[in-house]
Amino acid sequence: MMESGLENQIFQPGDVLAHATPDVLANHLPPDLLSRVLQASLAAGSMTPERVLETVTPELLARHLPHEVLWACIAAAAARAGVTNTVVS
Amino acid sequence: MHRGGGGARWGDEHGGVMNLKAFFVASLQTALDLSIATPEDILKHVTPDVLATYLPRPLWARLFTACLGAPKVDAQLVVETIGVPNLCEHVPAQLIWACIADIGNRSLGKQVDEEPLVLAPKSLTPPPPPGSSRSKPLTAPPPDVIEKPALVTPSKLGPNIPAPSTMPAGTGTSSLADIVAELEAEGSRDERSITPPSRVRTPTQQRFRQSQTGGGGIGRLAQNNPRRPQAGIPSVTPARTARRGETEVEAGEGEPETSVGRGEDWRSSIAVEEEQLVEWQASEETLTTTDDLETRKR
């Protein structure tokens, strides 16, 4: 679902990181992923949501992050699109 | 890197405790402030892998937040975000010292190794101390074997209680045949009298068993209990019937001897005196007439 939502532009990488906050990433990602994110950002000179999601792919997000966080991202995108009346923060 | 107030006696005057981390913080912070060192010098040894291994997650969250909000992510941002005190607090001292050593050697014009220092991965189980060459098992030794006490034989019930004997009391060494012969003789004397058997009750077993709390169960449910449930003894013993049967068989072998069969005058054999006769004809109560009989028939 996360991968499909990104491919179909249901939500953007910034929307993902609006729910998968740095605190969530820092507390749930394994150390090697944290290192790779920082290495990529240092190598590129910046840390953007797109670059973060290039390293932490949707598959890795689904594997390590709580599903409630990912579902909140999906539900919020659905609320923005007007599919549902439920507003998910 | 020389600070006032330092020296060999400085630590003694402040309690004598070597504060290595404070020394590292002061050295690195001063080197950065004086542009002797750069943040890249620190990140040369304190790599993202090292940070990922040793840095606490709240500091990682702070770093991510700073990196995502900063237009440029570089070593200076990382070092400033984490802070030199936090780096010296969490990163192993060998790595911090490697940073300081490189800065010092370069400042002195010496050759600096380009390769970062790599530490061995952290081991969850510390190596055994050098003095303990003998390895101890992790598990506790097995407990001592508790031997099951042997079952108490019923022969010894107590210090003053004699052992139960299968012989009837008072009969000495009489055998079963003697007992049968005695019973037959007694039965011949009084056939019809239903008397309890003349055998004396034999104190074979203790009536109430001692409570045994040992293993194997309780009472008759015990697995090692050799005793079996016993049915109650009927009041009339079959041996007594057998004796009577034998007598009846003996009597049945021939016709019972009666005086009728002999043809004798049995009336004369019974002597009845006249005084024993009742003069019932003189009694009015027993006098019945023919009239009475007729009225009764009606």
Side-chain angles (χ1 to χ4, degrees), chain B residues 260-271:
Chain B
V260 177
R262 296 174 186 172
E264 295 178 357
D265 188 5
W266 55 277
R267 293 183 179 85
S268 61
S269 62
I270 301 174

Side-chain angles (χ1 to χ4, degrees), chain B residues 217-274:
Chain B
I218 300 173
R220 293 179 178 176
L221 299 177
Q223 296 176 356
N224 297 326
N225 189 4
R227 297 186 59 189
R228 298 179 59 185
Q230 296 177 355
I233 301 173
S235 59
V236 179
T237 58
R240 189 70 178 175
T241 306
R243 286 201 312 271
R244 294 179 66 182
E246 290 174 359
T247 306
E248 291 173 356
V249 168
E250 290 173 359
E253 288 177 352
E255 291 294 331
E257 295 180 354
T258 58
S259 57
V260 177
R262 296 174 186 172
E264 295 178 357
D265 188 5
W266 55 277
R267 293 183 179 85
S268 61
S269 62
I270 301 174
V272 178
E273 296 179 357
E274 291 182 355

Side-chain angles (χ1 to χ4, degrees), chain B residues 16 30-31 41 44 47 52 54 56 61 108 110 148 153 166 168 171-172 204 208 214 219 225 238 244 249-250 271 276:
Chain B
T30 305
D41 294 333
K44 176 188 173 183
T47 61
Y54 297 104
L108 295 175
K110 295 182 180 180
K148 188 177 180 180
T153 57
T166 56
T171 54
T204 55
F208 300 101
N225 189 4
R244 294 179 66 182
V249 168
E250 290 173 359
Q276 295 176 348

Side-chain angles (χ1 to χ4, degrees), chain A residues 3-22:
Chain A
E3 187 175 2
S4 176
L6 288 170
E7 287 179 355
N8 297 311
Q9 297 183 354
I10 305 299
F11 43 83
Q12 304 300 320
D15 300 328
V16 176
L17 262 66
H19 292 85
T21 59

Side-chain angles (χ1 to χ4, degrees), chain B residues 69-194:
Chain B
K72 183 181 179 182
V73 174
D74 53 4
Q76 183 178 0
L77 177 66
V78 173
V79 172
E80 286 182 355
T81 303
I82 297 173
V84 174
N86 284 326
L87 287 174
C88 296
E89 179 68 27
H90 300 290
V91 175
Q94 293 87 347
L95 295 176
I96 300 297
W97 175 247
C99 297
I100 296 173
D102 283 352
I103 295 168
N105 288 329
R106 189 177 60 204
S107 299
L108 295 175
K110 295 182 180 180
Q111 188 179 1
V112 177
D113 193 3
E114 295 295 331
E115 294 296 325
L117 179 64
V118 178
L119 292 179
K122 285 201 299 185
S123 176
L124 295 177
T125 56
S132 62
S133 60
R134 227 173 37 176
S135 62
K136 293 181 178 179
L138 294 176
T139 57
D144 296 336
V145 177
I146 301 173
E147 294 183 355
K148 188 177 180 180
L151 291 176
V152 179
T153 57
S155 61
K156 296 179 179 179
L157 299 177
N160 296 328
I161 301 174
S165 173
T166 56
M167 299 292 181
T171 54
T173 58
S174 60
S175 63
L176 185 61
D178 298 335
I179 298 171
V180 171
E182 182 183 356
L183 291 174
E184 288 180 350
E186 184 181 356
S188 63
R189 285 195 298 268
D190 186 8
E191 291 182 358
R192 293 189 179 182
S193 64
I194 303 174

